[in-house]
Amino acid sequence: MVYYEGNRTGGSPGTLPWPYYWWEAGAMFGAMIDYWYYTGDTTYNDVTTQAMLYQTGPDKDYMPPNQTTTEGNDDQGFWGIAAMSAAEANFPNPPSNQPQWLALAQGVFNSQAVRWDNTTCRGGLKWQIFPFNNGYNYKNSISQGCFFNLAARLGKYTGNTTYTQWAETTWDWMSAVGLMDKDYYVYDGSDDTINCTQINHIQWTYNAGVMLLGAAYMYNMTESDMWKGRVEGLLNSTHVFFQNGIMNEVACEANGKCNTDQKSFKAYLARWMAATIKMAPFTHDFIMDKLKTSAAAAAQQCSGGENGRTCGLKWTNGSHWDGTYGVGQQMAALEVIQSNLIDFARGPVTNTTGGTSPGDYSAGSSGSSVVSKPPKVVTRSDRVGAGILTTILCLGVIGGTWWLIV
């Protein structure tokens, strides 16, 4: 929080100074909600609430007008997920005349559901919301993953199956288009100008994490073997992010090329791995082994700077500080260390198990509509089935024609 200036005189609540983008502030306040959830320490509650409310925008869906030049679906998604975490944790509710945590999460979901784009790639969300922003023609996994994660959690909290149907649609689309393969490796994204026919195969920790927790929620609601297998598959796929049991950002950490955003990604894998335990208890031992080893390594790496406790990025370096510092490094260390308290934390609440956050099913749509059920995605099995049916029909036509000739 020493990097945060939004609550100072002349500051803008809910934003971080350059070089941090708006989305990372939302992720950071998600970490502070986690901090309260794990420790009960209320020191940062007021500043967190102030920031979370200041950035809601006129439609209460985390679309503030001053962020249109940079805001993507993934950026908005991180703020929505932070609000969802606040509702699930029973983080103190805002004043009654202010937007409420659950309603804010619903507002984000509603505003994104209507952006589902069937004009290319047979579906999916674009990375960027506005056509004038770079990346508008890219459909990336983190945008889909945030939407999937939020949908599954809203389904659990509210019991409304429209949310879970959207979660299933998002999963099916990612699998069908190849953003997630049969081994549950989650890739970065694809270009919709070529109809997502080529995949960018870079793997990031947060893509695996966001899908893992969403799948765990789906398993918790269904208790199905299918979703259990998906949770297990995603967990197994995270092996690429661990070196001798220590989490690392494999795409950029070793070569020292992680940018400002990427230096925070490990925070979210740690956060969502820990939360998975509450939704899918069979994952406990596997996950805790990784979190304990990584937390010990991260604590050693927090040995730099003039104060001797600044955290670096390369946890595999042990106590030899890598010379880097920033919000991302601090947040990643905080999340992986506090995640080791998951066994002592209560599970997420719902509206039938003690949740107190008021919701609004029409949030984010200016009160004009409620999101409809999702479109059907043509999956690999659908295409195989269609091919078999076509073959049968063709054989039938040929057989009928032969009879006429004879």
Side-chain angles (χ1 to χ4, degrees):
M1 291 296 287
V2 298
Y3 294 94
Y4 179 60
E5 301 173 355
N7 61 333
R8 300 177 187 175
T9 301
S12 177
T15 61
L16 287 164
W18 180 257
Y20 303 101
Y21 286 107
W22 178 75
W23 79 271
E24 194 165 344
M28 183 186 77
F29 287 110
M32 300 317 298
I33 291 166
D34 280 353
Y35 172 75
W36 171 82
Y37 167 69
Y38 283 120
T39 68
D41 183 357
T42 62
T43 300
Y44 303 104
N45 283 14
D46 288 346
V47 69
T48 296
T49 297
Q50 179 197 42
M52 292 285 294
L53 295 179
Y54 196 85
Q55 294 297 322
T56 59
D59 287 332
K60 302 176 179 60
D61 56 2
Y62 290 110
M63 289 285 291
N66 64 339
Q67 295 298 327
T68 55
T69 58
T70 62
E71 185 172 359
N73 280 303
D74 51 351
D75 305 328
Q76 183 191 23
F78 267 90
W79 283 90
I81 286 173
M84 190 73 240
S85 294
E88 292 173 331
N90 262 346
F91 189 74
N93 288 328
S96 59
N97 64 340
Q98 294 292 315
Q100 302 298 305
W101 306 131
L102 177 60
L104 286 166
Q106 291 171 309
V108 171
F109 172 86
N110 289 346
S111 66
Q112 294 196 346
V114 296
R115 296 186 198 128
W116 188 264
D117 173 37
N118 285 314
T119 63
T120 61
C121 309
R122 304 186 306 277
L125 290 172
K126 288 176 174 286
W127 174 22
Q128 296 297 326
I129 299 170
F130 302 103
F132 50 76
N133 283 338
N134 290 332
Y136 183 72
N137 293 320
Y138 197 62
K139 291 188 175 180
N140 61 341
S141 287
I142 193 58
S143 292
Q144 323 307 322
C146 286
F147 185 62
F148 168 70
N149 183 297
L150 189 57
R153 293 165 72 174
L154 282 169
K156 172 70 175 176
Y157 193 100
T158 67
N160 187 330
T161 58
T162 297
Y163 295 124
T164 56
Q165 288 170 11
W166 272 104
E168 290 167 351
T169 292
T170 306
W171 178 282
D172 289 345
W173 179 80
M174 291 183 69
S175 297
V177 82
L179 292 185
M180 181 168 48
D181 71 14
K182 63 181 179 59
D183 295 315
Y184 300 96
Y185 296 117
V186 185
Y187 303 117
D188 187 71
S190 189
D191 187 342
D192 71 6
T193 63
I194 56 172
N195 212 33
C196 298
T197 53
Q198 297 178 16
I199 302 296
N200 178 348
H201 285 95
I202 291 177
Q203 294 184 67
W204 302 107
T205 50
Y206 73 164
N207 282 330
V210 76
M211 297 302 296
L212 173 64
L213 182 58
Y217 270 80
M218 295 299 289
Y219 164 74
N220 186 269
M221 286 182 281
T222 64
E223 296 185 341
S224 72
D225 290 340
M226 179 182 71
W227 281 107
K228 182 178 182 181
R230 289 171 172 178
V231 171
E232 291 172 335
L234 284 164
L235 265 185
N236 290 335
S237 76
T238 63
H239 74 87
V240 299
F241 304 118
F242 290 89
Q243 179 180 334
N244 297 322
I246 300 171
M247 192 184 299
N248 78 102
E249 198 62 61
V250 66
C252 63
E253 191 171 309
N255 60 22
K257 293 185 177 180
C258 294
N259 65 24
T260 300
D261 288 350
Q262 293 155 6
K263 289 171 182 174
S264 74
F265 287 178
K266 291 190 293 188
Y268 320 125
L269 177 57
R271 174 192 300 181
W272 291 325
M273 286 182 79
T276 290
I277 291 173
K278 293 299 188 185
M279 290 293 102
F282 67 87
T283 65
H284 178 275
D285 291 351
F286 181 99
I287 289 174
M288 289 307 300
D289 179 62
K290 298 291 191 295
L291 292 179
K292 287 177 180 177
T293 303
S294 296
Q300 284 189 303
Q301 183 58 200
C302 293
S303 58
E306 294 180 359
N307 60 14
R309 59 178 184 271
T310 297
C311 300
L313 177 66
K314 296 181 180 179
W315 301 343
T316 53
N317 275 12
S319 59
H320 179 66
W321 181 47
D322 66 7
T324 70
Y325 57 90
V327 173
Q329 293 92 321
Q330 295 295 132
M331 180 165 41
L334 173 65
E335 286 282 24
V336 76
I337 291 170
Q338 68 187 12
S339 288
N340 279 267
L341 298 173
I342 191 66
D343 286 344
F344 306 100
R346 66 186 184 278
V349 298
T350 70
N351 61 7
T352 60
T353 61
T356 63
S357 186
D360 179 0
Y361 281 114
S362 64
S365 59
S366 300
S368 60
S369 64
V370 177
V371 172
S372 61
K373 295 184 184 301
K376 178 175 174 56
V377 171
V378 178
T379 64
R380 292 188 182 99
S381 59
D382 290 333
R383 292 198 294 272
V384 170
I388 293 170
L389 180 59
T390 301
T391 301
I392 292 171
L393 289 172
C394 287
L395 289 173
V397 170
I398 292 169
T401 303
W402 176 254
W403 177 83
L404 289 173
I405 293 172
V406 173

Short mmCIF file of all heavy atoms in Angstrom, two decimals, residues 141-142 145-146 148-149 171 174 179-180 183-188 202-216 230-231 233-242 247-250 265 268-273 276:
data_model
loop_
_atom_site.label_atom_id
_atom_site.label_comp_id
_atom_site.label_asym_id
_atom_site.label_seq_id
_atom_site.Cartn_x
_atom_site.Cartn_y
_atom_site.Cartn_z
N SER A 141 -7.54 -15.10 -23.43
CA SER A 141 -8.04 -16.03 -22.42
C SER A 141 -8.37 -15.34 -21.11
O SER A 141 -9.30 -15.76 -20.41
CB SER A 141 -7.03 -17.15 -22.18
OG SER A 141 -7.01 -18.04 -23.27
N ILE A 142 -7.65 -14.29 -20.74
CA ILE A 142 -7.94 -13.69 -19.44
C ILE A 142 -9.28 -12.97 -19.46
O ILE A 142 -9.99 -12.94 -18.44
CB ILE A 142 -6.79 -12.76 -18.98
CG1 ILE A 142 -6.96 -12.39 -17.49
CG2 ILE A 142 -6.67 -11.55 -19.86
CD1 ILE A 142 -7.02 -13.56 -16.53
N GLY A 145 -11.63 -15.80 -19.17
CA GLY A 145 -11.46 -16.41 -17.86
C GLY A 145 -12.10 -15.61 -16.75
O GLY A 145 -12.73 -16.17 -15.84
N CYS A 146 -11.94 -14.29 -16.79
CA CYS A 146 -12.58 -13.45 -15.77
C CYS A 146 -14.10 -13.57 -15.85
O CYS A 146 -14.79 -13.65 -14.82
CB CYS A 146 -12.15 -11.99 -15.94
SG CYS A 146 -10.46 -11.63 -15.41
N PHE A 148 -15.81 -16.15 -17.09
CA PHE A 148 -16.13 -17.50 -16.63
C PHE A 148 -16.09 -17.58 -15.11
O PHE A 148 -17.01 -18.11 -14.47
CB PHE A 148 -15.13 -18.49 -17.25
CG PHE A 148 -15.15 -19.86 -16.66
CD1 PHE A 148 -16.22 -20.72 -16.87
CD2 PHE A 148 -14.08 -20.32 -15.89
CE1 PHE A 148 -16.23 -22.00 -16.32
CE2 PHE A 148 -14.08 -21.60 -15.34
CZ PHE A 148 -15.16 -22.44 -15.56
N ASN A 149 -15.03 -17.07 -14.52
CA ASN A 149 -14.85 -17.07 -13.08
C ASN A 149 -15.99 -16.35 -12.38
O ASN A 149 -16.59 -16.85 -11.43
CB ASN A 149 -13.49 -16.40 -12.78
CG ASN A 149 -13.10 -16.38 -11.33
OD1 ASN A 149 -13.76 -15.77 -10.51
ND2 ASN A 149 -11.98 -17.00 -11.01
N TRP A 171 -16.65 -21.86 -21.13
CA TRP A 171 -15.74 -23.02 -21.12
C TRP A 171 -15.78 -23.74 -22.46
O TRP A 171 -14.73 -24.06 -23.04
CB TRP A 171 -16.12 -23.97 -20.00
CG TRP A 171 -15.26 -25.20 -19.93
CD1 TRP A 171 -15.36 -26.30 -20.74
CD2 TRP A 171 -14.15 -25.44 -19.07
NE1 TRP A 171 -14.39 -27.21 -20.42
CE2 TRP A 171 -13.64 -26.72 -19.40
CE3 TRP A 171 -13.56 -24.72 -18.03
CZ2 TRP A 171 -12.55 -27.27 -18.73
CZ3 TRP A 171 -12.47 -25.28 -17.37
CH2 TRP A 171 -11.98 -26.54 -17.72
N MET A 174 -14.01 -21.73 -25.24
CA MET A 174 -12.55 -21.73 -25.13
C MET A 174 -11.97 -23.07 -25.57
O MET A 174 -10.93 -23.13 -26.22
CB MET A 174 -12.13 -21.41 -23.69
CG MET A 174 -12.40 -19.98 -23.28
SD MET A 174 -11.80 -19.60 -21.61
CE MET A 174 -10.02 -19.66 -21.85
N LEU A 179 -8.28 -22.16 -27.17
CA LEU A 179 -7.59 -21.38 -26.14
C LEU A 179 -7.24 -22.24 -24.94
O LEU A 179 -6.35 -21.91 -24.16
CB LEU A 179 -8.46 -20.20 -25.69
CG LEU A 179 -8.67 -19.09 -26.72
CD1 LEU A 179 -9.45 -17.94 -26.11
CD2 LEU A 179 -7.35 -18.60 -27.30
N MET A 180 -7.94 -23.36 -24.79
CA MET A 180 -7.61 -24.35 -23.78
C MET A 180 -7.62 -25.71 -24.46
O MET A 180 -8.60 -26.07 -25.11
CB MET A 180 -8.65 -24.30 -22.65
CG MET A 180 -8.40 -25.26 -21.51
SD MET A 180 -9.47 -24.90 -20.08
CE MET A 180 -11.07 -24.72 -20.86
N ASP A 183 -5.31 -31.07 -22.75
CA ASP A 183 -4.51 -31.27 -21.53
C ASP A 183 -4.70 -30.13 -20.54
O ASP A 183 -3.96 -30.03 -19.56
CB ASP A 183 -3.04 -31.44 -21.89
CG ASP A 183 -2.79 -32.70 -22.71
OD1 ASP A 183 -3.34 -33.76 -22.34
OD2 ASP A 183 -2.07 -32.62 -23.73
N TYR A 184 -5.63 -29.23 -20.84
CA TYR A 184 -6.02 -28.12 -19.96
C TYR A 184 -4.95 -27.03 -19.87
O TYR A 184 -4.97 -26.23 -18.93
CB TYR A 184 -6.40 -28.63 -18.56
CG TYR A 184 -7.57 -29.59 -18.61
CD1 TYR A 184 -7.36 -30.97 -18.63
CD2 TYR A 184 -8.88 -29.12 -18.68
CE1 TYR A 184 -8.43 -31.86 -18.69
CE2 TYR A 184 -9.95 -30.01 -18.75
CZ TYR A 184 -9.72 -31.37 -18.76
OH TYR A 184 -10.77 -32.24 -18.83
N TYR A 185 -4.03 -26.99 -20.81
CA TYR A 185 -3.14 -25.84 -20.89
C TYR A 185 -3.93 -24.67 -21.46
O TYR A 185 -4.63 -24.82 -22.47
CB TYR A 185 -1.93 -26.14 -21.78
CG TYR A 185 -1.04 -27.22 -21.23
CD1 TYR A 185 -0.84 -28.41 -21.93
CD2 TYR A 185 -0.38 -27.06 -20.01
CE1 TYR A 185 -0.02 -29.42 -21.43
CE2 TYR A 185 0.45 -28.05 -19.51
CZ TYR A 185 0.62 -29.23 -20.22
OH TYR A 185 1.42 -30.22 -19.71
N VAL A 186 -3.83 -23.53 -20.81
CA VAL A 186 -4.58 -22.34 -21.23
C VAL A 186 -3.61 -21.38 -21.90
O VAL A 186 -2.59 -20.99 -21.30
CB VAL A 186 -5.26 -21.66 -20.03
CG1 VAL A 186 -6.14 -20.50 -20.51
CG2 VAL A 186 -6.09 -22.66 -19.23
N TYR A 187 -3.93 -21.00 -23.14
CA TYR A 187 -3.04 -20.17 -23.94
C TYR A 187 -3.52 -18.72 -23.96
O TYR A 187 -4.63 -18.41 -23.55
CB TYR A 187 -2.93 -20.75 -25.34
CG TYR A 187 -2.44 -22.18 -25.35
CD1 TYR A 187 -3.23 -23.22 -25.83
CD2 TYR A 187 -1.19 -22.51 -24.81
CE1 TYR A 187 -2.79 -24.53 -25.81
CE2 TYR A 187 -0.74 -23.82 -24.77
CZ TYR A 187 -1.55 -24.84 -25.28
OH TYR A 187 -1.11 -26.14 -25.24
N ASP A 188 -2.67 -17.85 -24.48
CA ASP A 188 -2.91 -16.42 -24.32
C ASP A 188 -4.13 -15.90 -25.08
O ASP A 188 -4.95 -15.18 -24.53
CB ASP A 188 -1.67 -15.63 -24.77
CG ASP A 188 -1.80 -14.15 -24.47
OD1 ASP A 188 -1.74 -13.78 -23.28
OD2 ASP A 188 -2.01 -13.36 -25.42
N ILE A 202 1.57 -18.76 -25.72
CA ILE A 202 2.20 -18.33 -24.47
C ILE A 202 1.28 -18.68 -23.31
O ILE A 202 0.07 -18.53 -23.40
CB ILE A 202 2.49 -16.82 -24.50
CG1 ILE A 202 3.60 -16.49 -25.50
CG2 ILE A 202 2.88 -16.31 -23.11
CD1 ILE A 202 3.89 -15.02 -25.64
N GLN A 203 1.87 -19.14 -22.21
CA GLN A 203 1.09 -19.48 -21.02
C GLN A 203 1.47 -18.55 -19.87
O GLN A 203 2.65 -18.32 -19.61
CB GLN A 203 1.36 -20.93 -20.61
CG GLN A 203 0.86 -21.96 -21.61
CD GLN A 203 1.05 -23.37 -21.10
OE1 GLN A 203 0.41 -23.79 -20.14
NE2 GLN A 203 1.94 -24.11 -21.74
N TRP A 204 0.43 -18.05 -19.20
CA TRP A 204 0.60 -17.17 -18.05
C TRP A 204 -0.06 -17.79 -16.83
O TRP A 204 -1.09 -18.44 -16.92
CB TRP A 204 -0.01 -15.79 -18.31
CG TRP A 204 0.54 -15.08 -19.49
CD1 TRP A 204 -0.07 -14.87 -20.70
CD2 TRP A 204 1.82 -14.44 -19.59
NE1 TRP A 204 0.75 -14.17 -21.54
CE2 TRP A 204 1.92 -13.88 -20.89
CE3 TRP A 204 2.89 -14.31 -18.71
CZ2 TRP A 204 3.05 -13.20 -21.33
CZ3 TRP A 204 4.02 -13.61 -19.14
CH2 TRP A 204 4.09 -13.07 -20.44
N THR A 205 0.52 -17.53 -15.66
CA THR A 205 -0.03 -18.10 -14.43
C THR A 205 -1.48 -17.71 -14.21
O THR A 205 -2.29 -18.52 -13.77
CB THR A 205 0.80 -17.65 -13.21
OG1 THR A 205 0.96 -16.22 -13.25
CG2 THR A 205 2.17 -18.30 -13.19
N TYR A 206 -1.82 -16.46 -14.46
CA TYR A 206 -3.17 -16.01 -14.11
C TYR A 206 -4.24 -16.63 -14.98
O TYR A 206 -5.39 -16.78 -14.55
CB TYR A 206 -3.28 -14.50 -14.04
CG TYR A 206 -3.27 -13.67 -15.30
CD1 TYR A 206 -3.70 -12.34 -15.25
CD2 TYR A 206 -2.85 -14.15 -16.54
CE1 TYR A 206 -3.71 -11.53 -16.36
CE2 TYR A 206 -2.85 -13.34 -17.67
CZ TYR A 206 -3.29 -12.04 -17.57
OH TYR A 206 -3.30 -11.24 -18.70
N ASN A 207 -3.91 -17.03 -16.21
CA ASN A 207 -4.90 -17.70 -17.04
C ASN A 207 -5.26 -19.07 -16.46
O ASN A 207 -6.44 -19.45 -16.41
CB ASN A 207 -4.38 -17.87 -18.47
CG ASN A 207 -4.47 -16.60 -19.28
OD1 ASN A 207 -5.35 -15.78 -19.05
ND2 ASN A 207 -3.56 -16.42 -20.22
N ALA A 208 -4.25 -19.81 -16.02
CA ALA A 208 -4.53 -21.10 -15.39
C ALA A 208 -5.32 -20.92 -14.10
O ALA A 208 -6.27 -21.66 -13.82
CB ALA A 208 -3.21 -21.83 -15.11
N GLY A 209 -4.96 -19.91 -13.33
CA GLY A 209 -5.62 -19.69 -12.05
C GLY A 209 -7.07 -19.28 -12.16
O GLY A 209 -7.93 -19.78 -11.42
N VAL A 210 -7.35 -18.38 -13.09
CA VAL A 210 -8.73 -17.88 -13.21
C VAL A 210 -9.67 -18.99 -13.67
O VAL A 210 -10.82 -19.08 -13.22
CB VAL A 210 -8.78 -16.65 -14.14
CG1 VAL A 210 -8.67 -17.03 -15.62
CG2 VAL A 210 -10.03 -15.82 -13.89
N MET A 211 -9.18 -19.87 -14.54
CA MET A 211 -9.99 -21.00 -15.00
C MET A 211 -10.13 -22.05 -13.90
O MET A 211 -11.20 -22.65 -13.73
CB MET A 211 -9.38 -21.62 -16.25
CG MET A 211 -9.33 -20.69 -17.45
SD MET A 211 -10.96 -20.05 -17.94
CE MET A 211 -11.80 -21.56 -18.43
N LEU A 212 -9.08 -22.26 -13.13
CA LEU A 212 -9.10 -23.25 -12.06
C LEU A 212 -10.19 -22.94 -11.04
O LEU A 212 -10.99 -23.81 -10.67
CB LEU A 212 -7.73 -23.31 -11.37
CG LEU A 212 -7.64 -24.18 -10.12
CD1 LEU A 212 -7.89 -25.65 -10.46
CD2 LEU A 212 -6.28 -24.00 -9.45
N LEU A 213 -10.24 -21.71 -10.56
CA LEU A 213 -11.22 -21.39 -9.53
C LEU A 213 -12.64 -21.45 -10.08
O LEU A 213 -13.55 -21.94 -9.41
CB LEU A 213 -10.94 -20.01 -8.92
CG LEU A 213 -11.91 -19.62 -7.80
CD1 LEU A 213 -11.88 -20.64 -6.66
CD2 LEU A 213 -11.61 -18.22 -7.28
N GLY A 214 -12.84 -20.97 -11.31
CA GLY A 214 -14.16 -21.07 -11.91
C GLY A 214 -14.62 -22.51 -12.01
O GLY A 214 -15.77 -22.85 -11.71
N ALA A 215 -13.71 -23.39 -12.44
CA ALA A 215 -14.04 -24.81 -12.55
C ALA A 215 -14.34 -25.42 -11.18
O ALA A 215 -15.22 -26.27 -11.05
CB ALA A 215 -12.90 -25.57 -13.22
N ALA A 216 -13.62 -24.97 -10.15
CA ALA A 216 -13.86 -25.47 -8.80
C ALA A 216 -15.26 -25.10 -8.32
O ALA A 216 -15.93 -25.90 -7.66
CB ALA A 216 -12.80 -24.94 -7.84
N ARG A 230 -12.08 -31.75 -14.77
CA ARG A 230 -11.57 -30.48 -15.28
C ARG A 230 -10.72 -29.76 -14.24
O ARG A 230 -9.68 -29.17 -14.58
CB ARG A 230 -12.74 -29.61 -15.74
CG ARG A 230 -13.41 -30.14 -17.00
CD ARG A 230 -14.70 -29.41 -17.34
NE ARG A 230 -15.21 -29.82 -18.64
CZ ARG A 230 -16.34 -29.39 -19.19
NH1 ARG A 230 -17.11 -28.52 -18.51
NH2 ARG A 230 -16.73 -29.80 -20.39
N VAL A 231 -11.15 -29.78 -13.00
CA VAL A 231 -10.34 -29.19 -11.93
C VAL A 231 -8.99 -29.91 -11.83
O VAL A 231 -7.94 -29.26 -11.76
CB VAL A 231 -11.09 -29.26 -10.58
CG1 VAL A 231 -10.17 -28.85 -9.42
CG2 VAL A 231 -12.33 -28.37 -10.60
N GLY A 233 -7.50 -31.60 -14.16
CA GLY A 233 -6.72 -31.33 -15.35
C GLY A 233 -6.04 -29.98 -15.29
O GLY A 233 -4.85 -29.84 -15.64
N LEU A 234 -6.76 -28.97 -14.84
CA LEU A 234 -6.17 -27.63 -14.72
C LEU A 234 -5.07 -27.61 -13.67
O LEU A 234 -4.02 -26.98 -13.86
CB LEU A 234 -7.26 -26.61 -14.38
CG LEU A 234 -8.16 -26.21 -15.55
CD1 LEU A 234 -9.43 -25.53 -15.05
CD2 LEU A 234 -7.41 -25.29 -16.52
N LEU A 235 -5.31 -28.28 -12.55
CA LEU A 235 -4.27 -28.35 -11.52
C LEU A 235 -3.00 -29.01 -12.06
O LEU A 235 -1.89 -28.51 -11.85
CB LEU A 235 -4.76 -29.13 -10.31
CG LEU A 235 -5.36 -28.35 -9.15
CD1 LEU A 235 -5.69 -29.29 -8.00
CD2 LEU A 235 -4.44 -27.24 -8.68
N ASN A 236 -3.17 -30.11 -12.75
CA ASN A 236 -2.01 -30.79 -13.32
C ASN A 236 -1.28 -29.93 -14.33
O ASN A 236 -0.04 -29.99 -14.44
CB ASN A 236 -2.44 -32.11 -13.97
CG ASN A 236 -2.88 -33.15 -12.95
OD1 ASN A 236 -2.47 -33.10 -11.80
ND2 ASN A 236 -3.74 -34.07 -13.36
N SER A 237 -2.02 -29.11 -15.06
CA SER A 237 -1.38 -28.27 -16.08
C SER A 237 -0.52 -27.17 -15.48
O SER A 237 0.34 -26.61 -16.17
CB SER A 237 -2.45 -27.63 -16.98
OG SER A 237 -3.11 -26.54 -16.33
N THR A 238 -0.72 -26.86 -14.19
CA THR A 238 0.08 -25.79 -13.57
C THR A 238 1.52 -26.21 -13.32
O THR A 238 2.33 -25.39 -12.87
CB THR A 238 -0.54 -25.34 -12.23
OG1 THR A 238 -0.54 -26.43 -11.29
CG2 THR A 238 -1.96 -24.82 -12.43
N HIS A 239 1.86 -27.46 -13.62
CA HIS A 239 3.24 -27.89 -13.39
C HIS A 239 4.24 -27.03 -14.14
O HIS A 239 5.40 -26.88 -13.71
CB HIS A 239 3.41 -29.36 -13.78
CG HIS A 239 3.44 -29.60 -15.27
ND1 HIS A 239 4.61 -29.54 -16.01
CD2 HIS A 239 2.44 -29.89 -16.14
CE1 HIS A 239 4.33 -29.77 -17.28
NE2 HIS A 239 3.03 -29.99 -17.40
N VAL A 240 3.80 -26.42 -15.25
CA VAL A 240 4.72 -25.60 -16.04
C VAL A 240 5.14 -24.34 -15.29
O VAL A 240 6.14 -23.71 -15.64
CB VAL A 240 4.11 -25.20 -17.40
CG1 VAL A 240 3.78 -26.43 -18.23
CG2 VAL A 240 2.87 -24.34 -17.23
N PHE A 241 4.41 -23.99 -14.24
CA PHE A 241 4.68 -22.76 -13.50
C PHE A 241 5.44 -22.99 -12.20
O PHE A 241 5.59 -22.06 -11.41
CB PHE A 241 3.37 -22.02 -13.19
CG PHE A 241 2.54 -21.71 -14.41
CD1 PHE A 241 1.28 -22.25 -14.56
CD2 PHE A 241 3.03 -20.89 -15.41
CE1 PHE A 241 0.51 -21.98 -15.68
CE2 PHE A 241 2.28 -20.61 -16.53
CZ PHE A 241 1.01 -21.16 -16.67
N PHE A 242 5.91 -24.21 -11.99
CA PHE A 242 6.61 -24.50 -10.74
C PHE A 242 7.97 -25.12 -11.03
O PHE A 242 8.09 -26.07 -11.80
CB PHE A 242 5.78 -25.43 -9.85
CG PHE A 242 4.57 -24.75 -9.28
CD1 PHE A 242 3.37 -24.75 -9.97
CD2 PHE A 242 4.64 -24.10 -8.06
CE1 PHE A 242 2.24 -24.12 -9.46
CE2 PHE A 242 3.52 -23.45 -7.53
CZ PHE A 242 2.33 -23.46 -8.24
N MET A 247 6.72 -21.36 -7.43
CA MET A 247 6.00 -20.72 -8.53
C MET A 247 6.91 -19.74 -9.28
O MET A 247 7.64 -18.97 -8.66
CB MET A 247 4.77 -19.98 -7.98
CG MET A 247 3.78 -19.52 -9.03
SD MET A 247 2.42 -18.55 -8.31
CE MET A 247 1.67 -19.75 -7.19
N ASN A 248 6.82 -19.78 -10.61
CA ASN A 248 7.54 -18.79 -11.41
C ASN A 248 6.76 -18.49 -12.68
O ASN A 248 6.01 -19.31 -13.17
CB ASN A 248 8.96 -19.24 -11.71
CG ASN A 248 9.02 -20.27 -12.83
OD1 ASN A 248 9.36 -19.94 -13.97
ND2 ASN A 248 8.69 -21.52 -12.54
N GLU A 249 6.94 -17.27 -13.18
CA GLU A 249 6.25 -16.84 -14.40
C GLU A 249 7.10 -17.29 -15.58
O GLU A 249 8.00 -16.60 -16.04
CB GLU A 249 6.06 -15.32 -14.40
CG GLU A 249 5.01 -14.82 -15.36
CD GLU A 249 3.63 -15.38 -15.03
OE1 GLU A 249 3.12 -15.12 -13.93
OE2 GLU A 249 3.08 -16.09 -15.91
N VAL A 250 6.79 -18.48 -16.07
CA VAL A 250 7.68 -19.18 -16.99
C VAL A 250 7.92 -18.41 -18.29
O VAL A 250 8.99 -18.53 -18.89
CB VAL A 250 7.13 -20.60 -17.28
CG1 VAL A 250 5.80 -20.53 -18.03
CG2 VAL A 250 8.14 -21.44 -18.03
N PHE A 265 1.29 -11.30 -11.94
CA PHE A 265 0.43 -12.43 -12.31
C PHE A 265 0.45 -13.57 -11.29
O PHE A 265 -0.55 -14.24 -11.07
CB PHE A 265 0.82 -12.97 -13.68
CG PHE A 265 0.43 -12.09 -14.85
CD1 PHE A 265 0.77 -12.46 -16.15
CD2 PHE A 265 -0.26 -10.90 -14.66
CE1 PHE A 265 0.42 -11.67 -17.24
CE2 PHE A 265 -0.60 -10.09 -15.74
CZ PHE A 265 -0.26 -10.48 -17.04
N TYR A 268 -2.25 -13.84 -8.58
CA TYR A 268 -3.60 -14.32 -8.86
C TYR A 268 -3.66 -15.84 -8.92
O TYR A 268 -4.65 -16.44 -8.48
CB TYR A 268 -4.12 -13.68 -10.15
CG TYR A 268 -3.72 -12.22 -10.24
CD1 TYR A 268 -3.03 -11.72 -11.34
CD2 TYR A 268 -3.96 -11.36 -9.17
CE1 TYR A 268 -2.61 -10.40 -11.38
CE2 TYR A 268 -3.55 -10.04 -9.19
CZ TYR A 268 -2.87 -9.56 -10.30
OH TYR A 268 -2.45 -8.26 -10.32
N LEU A 269 -2.59 -16.47 -9.40
CA LEU A 269 -2.56 -17.93 -9.35
C LEU A 269 -2.57 -18.38 -7.89
O LEU A 269 -3.32 -19.30 -7.52
CB LEU A 269 -1.34 -18.50 -10.07
CG LEU A 269 -1.20 -20.03 -10.01
CD1 LEU A 269 -2.42 -20.74 -10.57
CD2 LEU A 269 0.07 -20.49 -10.76
N ALA A 270 -1.77 -17.75 -7.04
CA ALA A 270 -1.75 -18.11 -5.62
C ALA A 270 -3.12 -17.88 -4.99
O ALA A 270 -3.64 -18.74 -4.26
CB ALA A 270 -0.69 -17.28 -4.89
N ARG A 271 -3.71 -16.73 -5.26
CA ARG A 271 -5.03 -16.38 -4.71
C ARG A 271 -6.07 -17.42 -5.08
O ARG A 271 -6.82 -17.92 -4.23
CB ARG A 271 -5.45 -15.01 -5.23
CG ARG A 271 -6.86 -14.59 -4.86
CD ARG A 271 -7.31 -13.36 -5.66
NE ARG A 271 -6.45 -12.20 -5.43
CZ ARG A 271 -6.65 -11.01 -6.02
NH1 ARG A 271 -7.66 -10.85 -6.87
NH2 ARG A 271 -5.84 -10.01 -5.78
N TRP A 272 -6.11 -17.77 -6.36
CA TRP A 272 -7.17 -18.65 -6.86
C TRP A 272 -6.90 -20.11 -6.55
O TRP A 272 -7.84 -20.90 -6.41
CB TRP A 272 -7.38 -18.39 -8.34
CG TRP A 272 -7.98 -17.03 -8.60
CD1 TRP A 272 -8.90 -16.38 -7.82
CD2 TRP A 272 -7.70 -16.13 -9.68
NE1 TRP A 272 -9.21 -15.15 -8.36
CE2 TRP A 272 -8.49 -14.97 -9.49
CE3 TRP A 272 -6.86 -16.21 -10.80
CZ2 TRP A 272 -8.47 -13.90 -10.39
CZ3 TRP A 272 -6.84 -15.13 -11.69
CH2 TRP A 272 -7.63 -13.99 -11.49
N MET A 273 -5.65 -20.50 -6.42
CA MET A 273 -5.35 -21.85 -5.96
C MET A 273 -5.86 -22.06 -4.54
O MET A 273 -6.49 -23.08 -4.23
CB MET A 273 -3.85 -22.15 -6.04
CG MET A 273 -3.33 -22.36 -7.45
SD MET A 273 -1.55 -22.76 -7.51
CE MET A 273 -1.59 -24.50 -7.07
N THR A 276 -9.58 -22.31 -4.39
CA THR A 276 -10.04 -23.58 -4.96
C THR A 276 -10.23 -24.63 -3.88
O THR A 276 -11.14 -25.47 -3.95
CB THR A 276 -9.04 -24.06 -6.02
OG1 THR A 276 -9.12 -23.19 -7.17
CG2 THR A 276 -9.34 -25.48 -6.48
#
